[in-house]
Amino acid sequence: MQLRKLYSEPAAFDPVEFSAGLNVVLGERSLKSDKNNGVGKSLSIEFINFALLKRKSESRVNKIPKSVFPETAMVCLDFRIGDVDYTIRRSIKESEQPRITSEGSTTVFAKADDALKYLGTKLFGNHEGKHPSVRQLLGPLIRDEGSEFKSLVACFDTRLRVPDDYTPHLYLFGVELDLYRAVRNILAEIDAVAEESKRVRDSVKLLTKKDIEDARSDLNALSDEVAKINRSIEKLENTAGYDVMRDQILEIEREIEELRRRRNILNRKLIKLRPISSEYHLDNDEVGAFYDQMKAGLGQMIVRELTEVIGFKNKIEEFQNHLLNERSSTLQTEVAEITKTIDGLDQRYREYLSIIDRDGSLKNLKQTYAAAQKLADELGQLKSFLGRYDKLALDRQKLKIEKDTKLLELNEDILERNQTIKSFEETVLAAHEFIQGNRKASFELRTTPRKQIVDLHMRIDDDGSHSVDREKVFIYDICLLLNEHTRRRHPGLLIHDNIFEVDEDTLLRSLAFVVANTASSKDQYIVTLNADRLATAEGQAWFETLESCVVARYTKAKKFLKQDYQELK
């Protein structure tokens, strides 16, 4: 796969034409500014990624204001796969309906995923399941600058927290992907089983207020209790005349419950029928003396009127209390009659009950049946939960055995690729010696019992720092492109955006290695650089070759999109 030209319709930026070998996108100073960051180098790479069907939601292209780059404008990319030329056109507004033109025919896809499958058949052939998806493969080939180049595998923006995927790496080394995918699927099943087991444990805790281990002993006790109640019921049901007595007992229980409910209602009414007021004693002489002090003769008049009012009030209250007493007496009589009826029913109930419960173990027939049903339900639930938990534990054990088996097969397949892995390590050592001046490096591809399944274990001299980690990623990526074995499956395209944030000596040696190994290559290596990092490179023998490989130059005065703007949030 080789990129030919990046442009837009209508033109929103100057077209960028690419060729085989080394392609440099340069950020330079302008007369107005010494800064060469924020001029559009990374954005140009993002436009390539968007054209190659990166998700719109994850693309910076989607954050450009419409006034700067209209959402209907087409991002266009000409590229070649094998000997066939293709053009892909994609807009922000219709990002899910990309258009691919090839050999005079244009196809408008209903979904971006359909377009990716189409590209997959052209890139990999019709080997279904034997290769990664196009976007999986492009992940480590067009690393997101937001990944900070910290890891060989983590090639996406660190803020997205995308799980590590070894599929494209294993593919390039010729490892069987079906085995890796099988182990991943089994691990996903194990996680699902573990999650369901946790839900079962929580359910048991809610039901019994105990951990599942302690609940097992409760199961035995509960089973025994249910058995005892069932034996009692069975014994009762075998008693002579049981059917006749049972119906009468249940009817008496219903009547007693109804009468007790009625008696409770009447007792509450009695409480409310207490006299609403009592006679209030007021000293008439004191009231008269008070008003006489205020005005002569007024006190005697007030006393007469007050005496009349209080007398009238007392008559009304006497009448009310008389009515309340009569009603209270009626209710008390009714309560007494109900109590007497209940006593009679209780006597009959005990007589009937004694006939079918000669051992004295039965207290209440309805409650016995209810308790039996409640305990039986609880026992059934607990048995179900514990049975499911044990089944899940068995399933998990089987899955672990299956995972170990597949992992062993995967390990054997990796061992069969030993020649490729050793050859790749030799390519890494040669690159390391060219750049670092020694062969203190190593590379291993191996399986691991951890969730990542496999491990790309690569060490270089003094690795561990931010700068050295970036250099390690660069050496790994470029060696995949250069090695005689891994390049057989490699699409021949590698893009690095601002990867060379390293010390000056490492930068110069890395660029010398790039020029020597990619400038005249049939494969394609696209890299973005800041011109100020090349200040000391002008005297190097390879500098002119590097300069000749520059395909785009951007400055503060001449940005990629030709204007200033703030990205949307």
Side-chain angles (χ1 to χ4, degrees):
M1 182 176 186
Q2 189 173 115
L3 308 188
R4 308 299 291 270
K5 184 179 179 180
L6 175 68
Y7 55 102
S8 68
E9 295 175 351
F13 55 87
D14 293 334
V16 183
E17 296 188 8
F18 303 97
S19 61
L22 177 61
N23 296 259
V24 180
V25 178
L26 205 60
E28 298 182 318
R29 298 178 181 180
S30 66
L31 294 175
K32 296 182 179 180
S33 175
D34 289 337
K35 296 181 178 179
N36 46 30
N37 286 322
V39 296
K41 303 187 306 298
S42 297
L43 189 61
S44 66
I45 304 302
E46 191 64 27
F47 267 68
I48 293 173
N49 235 332
F50 180 77
L52 290 174
L53 305 177
K54 181 179 181 179
R55 291 186 185 277
K56 182 179 79 170
S57 60
E58 298 172 1
S59 176
R60 286 178 57 198
V61 175
N62 190 41
K63 296 182 179 181
I64 301 173
K66 297 176 185 178
S67 59
V68 176
F69 189 78
E71 62 179 3
T72 55
M74 290 286 185
V75 178
C76 307
L77 182 66
D78 296 344
F79 60 97
R80 171 173 286 186
I81 297 177
D83 297 326
V84 182
D85 290 325
Y86 300 86
T87 297
I88 188 166
R89 293 176 172 86
R90 189 187 187 201
S91 69
I92 298 172
K93 184 176 182 180
E94 297 180 342
S95 62
E96 283 298 308
Q97 290 81 43
R99 305 174 183 183
I100 298 180
T101 301
S102 177
E103 299 178 327
S105 176
T106 298
T107 303
V108 180
F109 293 88
K111 296 187 298 182
D113 285 344
D114 293 338
L116 283 169
K117 290 178 182 177
Y118 170 82
L119 290 180
T121 60
K122 302 304 178 183
L123 191 60
F124 303 111
N126 294 315
H127 302 291
E128 189 70 28
K130 300 297 183 180
H131 56 76
S133 70
V134 171
R135 285 309 311 178
Q136 276 181 314
L137 184 59
L138 290 178
L141 303 184
I142 313 177
R143 292 181 182 270
D144 195 308
E145 186 185 12
S147 70
E148 302 176 14
F149 307 98
K150 292 179 177 181
S151 163
L152 302 183
V153 182
C155 49
F156 301 102
D157 193 319
T158 55
R159 293 172 297 181
L160 298 178
R161 297 184 179 180
V162 178
D164 290 347
D165 185 5
Y166 289 79
T167 303
H169 305 272
L170 295 176
Y171 171 76
L172 294 176
F173 282 100
V175 176
E176 180 61 57
L177 294 184
D178 286 345
L179 292 172
Y180 173 70
R181 288 168 174 158
V183 177
R184 287 189 69 175
N185 291 337
I186 293 171
L187 286 174
E189 290 183 56
I190 290 174
D191 288 342
V193 168
E195 183 63 28
E196 187 176 354
S197 295
K198 182 180 181 301
R199 288 197 296 270
V200 172
R201 293 179 70 95
D202 292 342
S203 298
V204 171
K205 186 72 174 285
L206 186 65
L207 180 66
T208 66
K209 305 297 186 293
K210 294 181 180 180
D211 293 331
I212 198 164
E213 290 78 10
D214 298 328
R216 292 188 185 278
S217 58
D218 285 357
L219 178 64
N220 296 328
L222 192 59
S223 298
D224 183 62
E225 191 172 350
V226 170
K228 286 180 179 178
I229 293 178
N230 287 335
R231 284 196 297 270
S232 296
I233 292 176
E234 184 179 354
K235 181 180 178 182
L236 292 173
E237 291 177 346
N238 291 330
T239 302
Y242 170 80
D243 290 337
V244 176
M245 294 299 179
R246 179 193 60 193
D247 294 339
Q248 294 186 24
I249 288 174
L250 292 175
E251 178 61 25
I252 291 174
E253 285 181 352
R254 186 194 64 77
E255 289 184 30
I256 289 175
E257 286 181 4
E258 181 62 32
L259 289 170
R260 284 174 177 167
R261 187 162 46 250
R262 174 65 181 164
R263 184 172 62 183
N264 289 337
I265 293 172
L266 295 177
N267 283 330
R268 285 196 294 272
K269 287 184 177 181
L270 281 172
I271 293 174
K272 294 178 180 179
L273 288 177
R274 292 172 180 170
I276 58 174
S277 66
S278 58
E279 183 176 351
Y280 179 73
H281 177 71
L282 187 66
D283 192 324
N284 293 345
D285 293 337
E286 291 182 0
V287 173
F290 170 74
Y291 280 101
D292 281 338
Q293 290 177 1
M294 297 175 63
K295 188 173 182 180
L298 181 61
Q300 292 300 322
M301 182 175 64
I302 290 296
V303 168
R304 284 196 305 273
E305 291 181 357
L306 187 60
T307 301
E308 292 174 359
V309 168
I310 291 174
F312 181 68
K313 170 179 173 293
N314 289 337
K315 288 181 180 180
I316 292 175
E317 289 180 350
E318 285 177 3
F319 178 71
Q320 286 178 331
N321 288 335
H322 174 72
L323 293 177
L324 293 175
N325 288 334
E326 285 186 350
R327 176 60 177 159
S328 178
S329 177
T330 302
L331 291 177
Q332 286 175 352
T333 300
E334 188 175 351
V335 167
E337 290 176 355
I338 289 175
T339 299
K340 184 177 179 180
T341 303
I342 290 175
D343 291 341
L345 288 173
D346 276 339
Q347 179 62 31
R348 287 174 56 200
Y349 181 79
R350 286 192 294 272
E351 290 174 358
Y352 286 142
L353 201 60
S354 64
I355 296 174
I356 63 173
D357 185 23
R358 302 188 183 283
D359 295 334
S361 60
L362 186 63
K363 300 301 179 185
N364 181 297
L365 189 60
K366 190 191 311 184
Q367 290 178 3
T368 300
Y369 281 123
Q373 185 61 48
K374 181 176 181 298
L375 288 175
D377 291 344
E378 186 177 336
L379 178 63
Q381 277 188 298
L382 189 54
K383 277 185 176 179
S384 176
F385 285 141
L386 292 178
R388 182 58 182 162
Y389 185 81
D390 292 340
K391 175 66 166 54
L392 290 170
L394 181 61
D395 290 345
R396 189 174 185 181
Q397 189 63 33
K398 289 180 179 179
L399 287 170
K400 285 184 176 180
I401 293 172
E402 186 180 355
K403 182 208 75 172
D404 291 340
T405 302
K406 290 294 183 183
L407 196 61
L408 183 60
E409 293 178 23
L410 178 61
N411 187 61
E412 291 174 352
D413 190 61
I414 290 174
L415 290 176
E416 290 180 7
R417 315 299 164 189
N418 186 60
Q419 183 181 356
T420 297
I421 295 169
K422 286 298 182 183
S423 173
F424 180 77
E425 184 181 43
E426 184 58 37
T427 305
V428 168
L429 292 174
H432 191 273
E433 185 175 20
F434 188 105
I435 297 169
Q436 300 291 348
N438 61 62
R439 293 170 67 87
K440 294 172 62 176
S442 65
F443 176 81
E444 291 180 88
L445 174 57
R446 60 196 182 190
T447 58
T448 173
R450 296 191 295 273
K451 279 196 171 184
Q452 67 192 67
I453 305 172
V454 295
D455 183 24
L456 296 176
H457 189 69
M458 180 172 168
R459 300 294 300 269
I460 66 174
D461 195 15
D462 295 327
D463 64 359
S465 69
H466 175 71
S467 174
V468 177
D469 281 347
R470 297 174 82 94
E471 188 64 21
K472 179 163 64 176
V473 170
F474 162 71
I475 292 175
Y476 172 77
D477 286 355
I478 201 72
C479 287
L480 286 175
L481 185 67
L482 300 177
N483 179 261
E484 61 174 324
H485 293 282
T486 56
R487 70 182 301 174
R488 292 172 186 169
R489 293 189 169 195
H490 202 292
L493 170 66
L494 178 61
I495 301 177
H496 279 157
D497 180 26
N498 288 333
I499 194 172
F500 291 119
E501 294 297 323
V502 294
D503 63 86
E504 185 174 332
D505 183 60
T506 302
L507 170 67
L508 296 178
R509 289 178 177 273
S510 298
L511 291 178
F513 182 82
V514 165
V515 172
N517 288 277
T518 67
S520 58
S521 173
K522 293 181 180 180
D523 295 322
Q524 192 172 51
Y525 180 49
I526 301 171
V527 62
T528 66
L529 293 170
N530 285 331
D532 58 0
R533 297 299 313 277
L534 302 176
T536 59
E538 294 185 12
Q540 302 291 328
W542 47 265
F543 183 75
E544 288 187 9
T545 304
L546 180 71
E547 277 283 318
S548 67
C549 295
V550 175
V551 296
R553 300 174 185 270
Y554 302 114
T555 66
K556 286 290 185 181
K558 184 188 173 185
K559 294 186 173 183
F560 174 70
L561 285 179
K562 303 182 179 182
Q563 56 184 302
D564 296 327
Y565 66 91
Q566 291 290 328
E567 288 188 355
L568 304 173
K569 293 183 178 180

